[in-house]
Amino acid sequence: MSVPLWMWPAVLGIILVMLALDLFAHRRAHVGGVREAAAWSGVWVALAVAFGAGIWWWWGPEFAAQYFAGYVIEKSLAVDNVFVFAVIFGYFAVPREYQHRVLFYGVLGALVFRGVFIAAGSILIASFAWILYVFGAFLVATGIKMARHSDETIDPDKSPVLRGFRRLVPMTEGYRGQKFWVKEGGRWLATPLLAVLVLVETTDIVFAVDSIPAIFAVTSEPFLVFTSNAFAILGLRAMYFLLADLMHRFIYLKLGLAVVLVWVGVKMLLLEIYKIPTTVSLAVVIAILAVAVTASWRRTRTPGTTPGDPTDTGTAHRPEPIGAPAHGKTLIDPALLTPTPTDTGDRNP
C-alpha cells in the first residue's frame, strides 16, 4: 500500500479540526442528553465511513475491508473502556457536566499513545516477523482470561497509579469547576478531576495493549491501523454518554469481546497455514458482536430482576446514573468514596 507523504498530515489535520469543533461545541460545562450523544455518535461514524469509502476509491476494496475490519474491532473493544469510565466517574462522583472535559483530553491523549504504540508495533513486525505469532498467542490468552473473569469488577482504589498519584500530588478536597489545577494558599494543587484524567489515560494505555495487536491481525499497514484506530477512538466520548446508562443490559458483551480477541488471535497464528480473507474476518467479528448484543438484550428484557442475575434489566437495583454522586456524597475527598460495583472485566490500570 503506497501512501503519499502528504496524506499523513492531511489525516492528522482532519482529526485536529474535528477535535477543535468538538471542544468548541462543548466549551461550556453542561449535561448532554442521549439525543446529543446519538447525534455526535452519528457524526463520528459517518466520518469514519466516509474515510473508508475514500480508501476504497483510492486503494481498492481489499484495503477498505482491512480498514473497516480494524475499525469494527477497535470500536467494539472500546465498549470495554466505557465500562471502566463509568466506574471511575462513579467512584470519584464526577458531575456529569464535567465528564466531557475529562473524556475530551482522554481521547486526545489516547490518540498520541496509540500513535506511539502503532509505530512501535510496525517497527517490531518489520524487524521480527515472528512477533505476529507472539501477538496472536497473547490475544488468545487474553481472550480466554477475559471470558473466565467476565463477571469480575474493577476497583479503582486498588490501582497503583491512583495510589501513587495521591502520595505524590497534593490535591484539593473537592472539585473546582472543570479545572485540573488551582492555586490555593500560595501553592498549586491538583483537583480530583486531574486524578480522574490520569486514571482514564492509564486505563486506555492498558486497553491498547489488547486492541493494537488485534488490529494488526487484520492489516499490517500502519496507515490503516492508525486511521481505523483514530476514527474509532474519536467517537469514544459520544459512545460513553450514549451507552453508559445501558451497560447493565449488555451482560454477554464482555464474553463476546473475549471471543473476538480469541478469533483474531487464532487468525494471526494461522498466517503460515491459511490466510483467512479480511472480509471473512470482518463478517465473523460482526456476527459475534451481534449475537452477544442480541442475547444480552433478550435475556435482560424481563423486569424485576436483580444485578448479577442473568436476567437483570437494572429496574430493581439499577446502578446510579453516570455522574451521580456516589452514595449521595458530592465533591468530597475521593479517598472517602466507596467504589461503585460495575462489570468491567479484570484489567486494573
Side-chain angles (χ1 to χ4, degrees):
M1 182 178 182
S2 178
V3 181
L5 186 60
W6 59 265
M7 194 163 288
W8 283 95
V11 170
L12 292 175
I14 293 173
I15 292 173
L16 291 176
V17 167
M18 292 304 299
L19 285 173
L21 290 175
D22 186 28
L23 182 62
F24 178 79
H26 300 87
R27 61 191 181 279
R28 294 182 179 178
H30 72 285
V31 178
V34 173
R35 181 177 298 180
E36 178 183 329
W40 273 100
S41 294
V43 169
W44 295 122
V45 171
L47 184 63
V49 171
F51 188 83
I55 291 177
W56 188 304
W57 176 77
W58 193 289
W59 287 287
E62 174 58 27
F63 288 118
Q66 293 179 19
Y67 163 82
F68 281 116
Y71 176 80
V72 171
I73 290 174
E74 175 58 35
K75 199 72 171 176
S76 60
L77 292 176
V79 176
D80 220 7
N81 295 51
V82 172
F83 279 100
V84 179
F85 295 164
V87 172
I88 294 173
F89 287 149
Y91 175 81
F92 282 97
V94 181
R96 187 160 183 162
E97 59 267 27
Y98 301 160
Q99 293 174 9
H100 175 271
R101 183 175 176 84
V102 174
L103 291 177
F104 174 84
Y105 286 104
V107 167
L108 194 60
L111 290 172
V112 174
F113 286 117
R114 297 299 176 96
V116 173
F117 290 161
I118 290 169
S122 299
I123 294 173
L124 286 174
I125 292 173
S127 304
F128 310 101
W130 49 265
I131 202 71
L132 286 173
Y133 299 104
V134 176
F135 287 169
F138 172 76
L139 290 175
V140 171
T142 301
I144 293 174
K145 184 179 180 180
M146 183 186 293
R148 292 177 60 188
H149 303 281
S150 60
D151 58 342
E152 289 188 1
T153 60
I154 188 173
D155 184 354
D157 201 41
K158 295 180 180 179
S159 168
V161 174
L162 182 57
R163 291 199 299 265
F165 184 87
R166 284 172 170 167
R167 284 196 302 266
L168 299 175
V169 182
M171 192 162 54
T172 63
E173 293 186 356
Y175 294 105
R176 301 295 188 267
Q178 295 192 89
K179 295 179 180 179
F180 294 116
W181 293 93
V182 292
K183 192 172 184 179
E184 295 181 355
R187 63 172 183 161
W188 285 97
L189 300 175
T191 70
L193 208 61
L194 182 61
V196 175
L197 177 60
V198 169
L199 208 53
V200 165
E201 292 287 10
T202 308
T203 298
D204 183 76
I205 292 174
V206 173
F207 278 66
V209 174
D210 295 344
S211 61
I212 298 300
I215 296 181
F216 273 115
V218 294
T219 179
S220 58
E221 298 291 340
F223 184 76
L224 297 182
V225 175
F226 175 75
T227 52
S228 61
N229 221 271
F231 283 110
I233 291 296
L234 282 173
L236 183 58
R237 178 201 60 80
M239 184 170 67
Y240 169 80
F241 288 110
L242 185 64
L243 297 180
D245 286 336
L246 299 175
M247 284 294 99
H248 59 284
R249 295 292 303 272
F250 299 112
I251 58 174
Y252 297 131
L253 186 56
K254 291 190 72 65
L255 180 60
L257 296 177
V259 176
V260 168
L261 288 178
V262 172
W263 164 249
V264 296
V266 169
K267 181 180 184 297
M268 270 187 165
L269 294 174
L270 294 178
L271 281 176
E272 292 296 327
I273 301 174
Y274 176 70
K275 187 175 182 180
I276 300 175
T278 306
T279 52
V280 173
S281 296
L282 179 58
V284 171
V285 170
I286 293 175
I288 292 171
L289 296 174
V291 170
V293 171
T294 302
S296 297
W297 211 255
R298 289 175 62 87
R299 191 62 183 263
T300 58
R301 64 184 177 180
T302 304
T305 56
T306 58
D309 187 272
T311 58
D312 175 30
T313 64
T315 56
H317 300 281
R318 178 171 295 177
E320 295 174 352
I322 53 175
H327 302 283
K329 301 177 182 178
T330 58
L331 306 185
I332 63 174
D333 188 333
L336 301 178
L337 296 176
T338 302
T340 302
T342 306
D343 180 14
T344 61
D346 64 328
R347 293 182 285 185
N348 268 329

